[in-house]
Amino acid sequence: MSGEIAAAFAKAKARGEGALVAYAMAGDPDLPRSVDVFAALVEGGADILEIGVAFSDPIADGPVIQGASERALKAGATLQKVLDEVVPAVRKRCPDTPLVVMTYINIVMALGEERYAKLARERGISGTILPDLPPEESESLRRAFDAAGIDLIPLCAPTTPPARAEAIAKEARGFVYCVSVAGVTGMRAELPKDLSSRLELVRRASPVPVVAGFGISTAEQARVIGAHADGVVVGSALVRAAHTDGPAAVRQLCTEIKRGLKR
């Protein structure tokens, strides 16, 4: 995996913590102010930043992130603008934090696989998550990413059969993103009882760290999941905090969740 992502997990482990991968939407409420949100995530303790790039027809996003996408699109956020304006500004303010883009394959294909890989790496992107890209269709993009030094981060869903999950994990770059719940992103009061066993299965097969995301919004949930994973992804709760109360609330929520990841 990329040196930046590997180092972030290693540093968290050395501190006796699980890693916090924190998501926000680039361009929400606009391009400049979204940079303030990303900086607040790092100030609150985020180890890796997941930079959402808005797409008009998402398949994995719940209502909170869909709302953020709509606001970002209205503000003029495009993949090119995010790479040209948001990412360099975030890199300047958070020079030691790995940046991971989360978007959909259509956007990357429209820009061009090799062109995206080259531009993303030049701007300081360490990895990319594409939830609608099946492993069977990822070979050409993986080659472009490997050549550029970008991790193509895979997902495993609750509906992924064990043998397929193990195969995905064995070929993973960066980290494996285990989706906690069936359905779309969003906060959940409870997480599935079989999540821990699914995480353990993937961890046994994976040469890279394994994190869980979708539905995680509290320090207690992070604590429970952190016992079976190398970290957690938090998105909707942070996006909601940013939209309703601004960067200070984001910083505070990150700090609380990070506290739950202490071991």
Side-chain angles (χ1 to χ4, degrees):
M1 57 183 172
S2 79
E4 299 93 342
I5 290 176
F9 279 99
K11 288 176 184 176
K13 185 176 181 179
R15 294 192 303 266
E17 300 172 350
L20 173 58
V21 182
Y23 173 98
M25 179 66 69
D28 179 28
D30 54 43
L31 293 170
R33 283 188 288 176
S34 67
V35 176
D36 296 333
V37 174
F38 287 113
L41 294 172
V42 174
E43 291 165 3
D47 300 287
I48 296 171
L49 289 176
E50 188 179 339
I51 298 177
V53 178
F55 181 52
S56 59
D57 298 289
I59 62 168
D61 297 332
V64 172
I65 295 180
Q66 284 185 30
S69 290
E70 291 171 5
R71 293 189 294 271
L73 290 170
K74 287 179 181 177
T78 63
L79 178 57
Q80 189 71 58
K81 282 190 175 182
V82 171
L83 291 175
D84 289 345
E85 299 178 29
V86 176
V87 171
V90 173
R91 171 56 62 218
K92 185 175 181 179
R93 293 180 64 175
C94 311
D96 301 320
T97 305
L99 309 181
V100 172
V101 165
M102 189 282 186
T103 190
Y104 291 86
I105 186 61
N106 301 55
I107 296 177
V108 172
M109 291 180 69
L111 186 62
E113 294 178 356
E114 293 186 0
R115 185 182 177 200
Y116 168 77
K118 181 175 183 293
L119 285 175
R121 195 56 182 154
E122 287 175 353
R123 304 296 192 271
I125 296 297
S126 299
T128 299
I129 301 168
L130 299 167
D132 59 342
L133 176 65
E136 294 82 1
E137 304 294 331
S138 66
E139 185 177 346
S140 64
L141 190 62
R142 184 190 294 273
R143 285 199 302 268
F145 278 24
D146 284 350
I150 296 177
D151 294 324
L152 180 57
I153 296 164
L155 293 93
C156 285
T159 53
T160 304
R164 182 175 174 83
E166 290 177 346
I168 290 171
K170 288 176 181 177
E171 298 297 322
R173 309 285 199 275
F175 57 86
V176 181
Y177 189 144
C178 281
V179 177
S180 306
V181 296
V184 295
T185 60
M187 295 154 283
R188 305 292 202 279
E190 295 183 0
L191 296 174
K193 292 181 172 58
D194 69 338
L195 178 56
S196 60
S197 61
R198 287 194 284 115
L199 289 168
E200 296 291 354
L201 180 146
V202 175
R203 287 185 84 185
R204 286 194 297 270
S206 177
V208 297
V210 174
V211 304
F214 282 43
I216 301 163
S217 61
T218 68
E220 177 59 18
Q221 289 173 331
R223 184 191 67 78
V224 172
I225 294 171
H228 304 280
D230 299 292
V232 300
V233 183
V234 180
S236 294
L238 294 168
V239 170
R240 184 180 66 176
H243 179 55
T244 57
D245 298 306
V250 168
R251 188 182 308 113
Q252 181 179 349
L253 181 54
C254 259
T255 300
E256 292 172 3
I257 293 170
K258 189 66 178 173
R259 192 176 298 122
L261 289 167
K262 293 185 182 298
R263 293 169 176 160

